[in-house]
């Protein structure tokens, strides 16, 4: 087998890259360790930045998102018994977020790639990259796929990043002393916009997936087991952390999914070794507080598409050579914003009265200063893409 770009991973990064390359006349093959059913049902983030929404629409894969996605023009910061809205329409006119589950983006991309004749191979768990600095190829199940370039879009636990020789990468990471307990409930949202709640009991987030399904998160200890959190306890804790504003009542209903996620920040530099290019979670992880993970992956593959198109059209390696450095500028901005949102809203050591007062002071500043609120808003809806890297 031969293709121009061998893509490892059929998550949103790998699938979008394959689609964008197709639009530029570049062939690719996507290899995925899991089944199609698994990747289409895997629940992940659901907040799309303005740039991500625009790119999906421009690339012709946004029809269902436009029908079913939920545009939001603000978020609420709730603390100290009051809610404070951050109005995107006022602070960053013309830009918003759209709530649309990552698994829905994946379904749309798979359907489009297959309709266009794209090649996605599922259930191939033994993928291995080879000859990264010369003539790269991938092996899997006794097969060999020769390619010009390998795109590692296989996530934090994938095979591509570990295939880079020891000593090449610099790793930057931070683990947080808490986790998130996430649930999906078959219940209409209790608010039209996301609520980020800070309290002495810990952080809570009220989100949604559809007008009939709500998504909630609770800050919990890192050693939390789902078995320790029956439905009754979850709803009681959500009420305690969210029903802190007069007149607000949390609508409860059947919970049909639970998960516990560790909180970490991670960056691997550079995002390229030879003819292997890392994208998305294979290269960087952010805590979900700032809703940046999927959106960073989209920004990565947008740049990689432009670089590969330029290479095949002109023979120039300039954009490929600058791929890592260009991506990392955005990655580190998102790392800082995600860290900032996390430290602003979560409860740390119970006896750290000084830190608690600093948090309250900072929240007061963000919710009372137009300049501070604008900083939050423009980072949350997503900074503009770099010029000169369109998919078209």
């Amino acid at each position: 087998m031969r293709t121009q770009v061998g893509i490892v991973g059929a998550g949103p990064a790998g699938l979008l890259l394959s689609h964008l390359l197709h639009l530029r006349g570049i062939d690719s093959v996507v290899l995925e360790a899991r089944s199609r059913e698994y990747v289409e049902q895997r629940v992940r983030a659901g907040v799309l930045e303005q740039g991500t929404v625009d790119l999906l629409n421009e690339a012709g894969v946004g029809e269902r998102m436009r029908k079913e996605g939920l545009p939001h023009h603000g978020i609420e910061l709730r603390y100290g018994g009051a809610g404070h809205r951050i109005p995107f329409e006022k602070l960053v006119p013309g830009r918003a977020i759209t709530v649309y589950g990552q698994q829905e983006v994946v379904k749309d991309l798979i359907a489009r790639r297959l309709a266009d004749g794209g090649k996605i191979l599922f259930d191939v768990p033994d993928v291995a990259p080879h000859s990264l600095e010369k003539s790269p190829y991938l092996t899997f199940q006794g097969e060999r796929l020769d390619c010009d370039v390998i795109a590692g879009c296989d996530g934090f636990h994938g095979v591509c990043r570990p295939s880079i020789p020891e000593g090449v990468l610099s790793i930057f990471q931070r683990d947080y002393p808490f986790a998130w307990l996430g649930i999906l409930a078959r219940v209409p949202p209790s608010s039209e916009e996301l609520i980020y709640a800070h309290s002495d009991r810990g952080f809570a987030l009220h989100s949604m997936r559809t007008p009939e399904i709500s998504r909630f998160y609770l800050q919990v200890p890192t050693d939390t087991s789902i078995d320790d959190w029956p439905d009754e306890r979850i709803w009681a804790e959500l009420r305690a952390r969210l029903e802190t504003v007069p007149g607000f009542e949390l609508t409860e209903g059947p919970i049909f999914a639970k998960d516990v996620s560790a909180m970490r920040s991670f960056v691997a530099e550079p995002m390229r070794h030879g003819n292997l290019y890392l994208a998305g979670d294979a290269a960087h992880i952010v805590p979900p507080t700032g809703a940046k993970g999927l959106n960073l992956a989209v920004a990565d593959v947008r740049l990689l598409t432009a670089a590969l198109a330029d290479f095949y059209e002109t023979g120039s390696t300039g954009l490929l050579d600058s791929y890592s450095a260009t991506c990392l500028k955005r990655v580190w901005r998102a790392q800082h914003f995600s860290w900032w949102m996390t430290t602003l809203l979560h409860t740390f050591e119970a006896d750290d009265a000084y830190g608690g007062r600093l948090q309250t002071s900072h929240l007061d500043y963000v919710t009372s200063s137009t300049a501070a609120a604008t900083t939050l808003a423009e980072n949350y809806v997503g900074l503009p893409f770099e010029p000169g890297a369109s998919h078209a």
Side-chain angles (χ1 to χ4, degrees):
M1 295 176 60
R2 180 132 188 30
T3 191
Q4 290 173 290
V5 182
I7 301 173
V8 185
L15 293 167
L16 181 59
L17 176 62
S18 181
H19 177 62
L20 295 179
L21 291 174
H22 169 71
L23 295 179
R24 302 295 291 262
I26 300 170
D27 293 329
S28 66
V29 174
V30 181
L31 304 178
E32 169 57 46
R34 305 280 193 164
S35 68
R36 177 178 178 179
E37 180 183 16
Y38 179 89
V39 298
E40 288 187 339
Q41 298 301 320
R42 182 169 45 192
V43 176
R44 291 291 186 271
V47 173
L48 306 183
E49 294 177 354
Q50 185 67 58
T52 297
V53 170
D54 292 344
L55 180 59
L56 292 174
N57 282 325
E58 291 167 9
V61 288
E63 181 178 358
R64 196 162 67 94
M65 174 188 66
R66 291 193 298 274
K67 293 178 181 178
E68 301 178 13
L70 306 174
H72 286 209
H73 298 277
I75 59 173
E76 179 184 326
L77 301 184
R78 183 172 292 188
Y79 70 99
H84 307 266
R85 185 171 184 267
I86 306 297
F88 300 156
E89 73 278 2
K90 176 182 177 182
L91 301 170
V92 283
R95 296 158 66 193
I97 60 165
T98 296
V99 174
Y100 188 63
Q102 175 174 309
Q103 68 272 26
E104 305 306 323
V105 175
V106 166
K107 291 175 188 175
D108 295 342
L109 288 168
I110 289 176
R112 180 59 184 269
R113 288 304 298 126
L114 296 179
D116 289 342
K119 194 158 191 178
I120 309 171
L121 303 183
F122 295 100
D123 292 307
V124 283
D126 54 349
V127 176
H130 304 273
S131 189
L132 302 179
E133 299 180 64
K134 297 179 182 179
S135 301
Y137 63 96
L138 294 159
T139 57
F140 59 98
Q141 296 179 325
E143 301 283 345
R144 171 170 168 152
L145 174 65
D146 290 288
C147 46
D148 302 325
V149 165
I150 296 173
C153 305
D154 51 343
F156 182 77
H157 298 290
V159 299
C160 287
R161 190 181 67 251
S163 71
I164 298 175
E166 186 175 354
V168 172
L169 295 178
S170 296
I171 302 297
F172 304 87
Q173 58 187 336
R174 172 167 295 175
D175 293 322
Y176 295 86
F178 41 75
W180 271 16
L181 169 64
I183 68 162
L184 284 168
R186 208 168 300 282
V187 57
S190 303
S191 169
E192 294 183 354
E193 296 179 336
L194 279 69
I195 301 173
Y196 286 76
H198 169 76
S199 74
D200 292 340
R201 302 179 68 93
F203 169 78
L205 173 60
H206 172 290
S207 184
M208 62 285 293
R209 285 294 178 268
T210 71
E212 297 81 29
I213 296 176
S214 295
R215 180 71 160 158
F216 297 95
Y217 296 97
L218 286 168
Q219 176 186 349
V220 294
T222 55
D223 59 353
T224 291
S225 169
I226 291 177
D227 295 337
D228 297 332
W229 285 86
D231 294 3
E232 296 78 9
R233 184 184 179 191
I234 290 173
W235 287 118
E237 194 61 32
L238 284 169
R239 287 195 302 271
R241 300 187 193 186
L242 289 169
E243 290 185 346
T244 58
V245 173
F248 179 84
E249 292 186 7
L250 187 65
T251 304
E252 301 178 20
I255 296 173
F256 63 92
K258 301 179 187 179
D259 59 87
V260 176
S261 303
M263 301 280 282
R264 68 162 63 93
S265 299
F266 175 91
V267 180
E269 295 185 5
M271 292 171 56
R272 173 195 182 182
H273 177 67
N275 293 306
L276 169 66
Y277 296 81
L278 302 177
D281 287 0
H284 41 73
I285 297 286
V286 289
T289 325
K292 290 286 162 272
L294 168 61
N295 297 292
L296 276 181
V298 169
D300 289 347
V301 300
R302 176 181 174 275
L303 280 172
L304 186 53
T305 299
L308 288 167
D310 187 57
F311 169 71
Y312 283 115
E313 291 167 7
T314 70
S316 170
T317 64
L319 292 180
L320 286 172
D321 293 339
S322 63
Y323 167 75
S324 177
T326 305
C327 284
L328 286 168
K329 289 180 181 179
R330 190 180 193 91
V331 167
W332 279 109
R333 175 86 297 274
Q335 287 284 338
H336 180 266
F337 177 68
S338 300
W339 166 86
W340 178 78
M341 284 282 284
T342 301
T343 55
L344 179 67
L345 292 162
H346 289 73
T347 301
F348 288 79
E349 296 181 16
D351 60 350
D352 185 11
Y354 179 83
R357 291 300 182 94
L358 286 181
Q359 278 184 308
T360 301
S361 175
H362 202 167
L363 283 163
D364 286 343
Y365 176 60
V366 169
T367 56
S368 63
S369 163
T370 299
T374 300
T375 295
L376 191 160
E378 69 177 2
N379 280 274
Y380 197 90
V381 302
L383 299 176
F385 284 135
E386 298 77 3
S390 172
H391 75 278

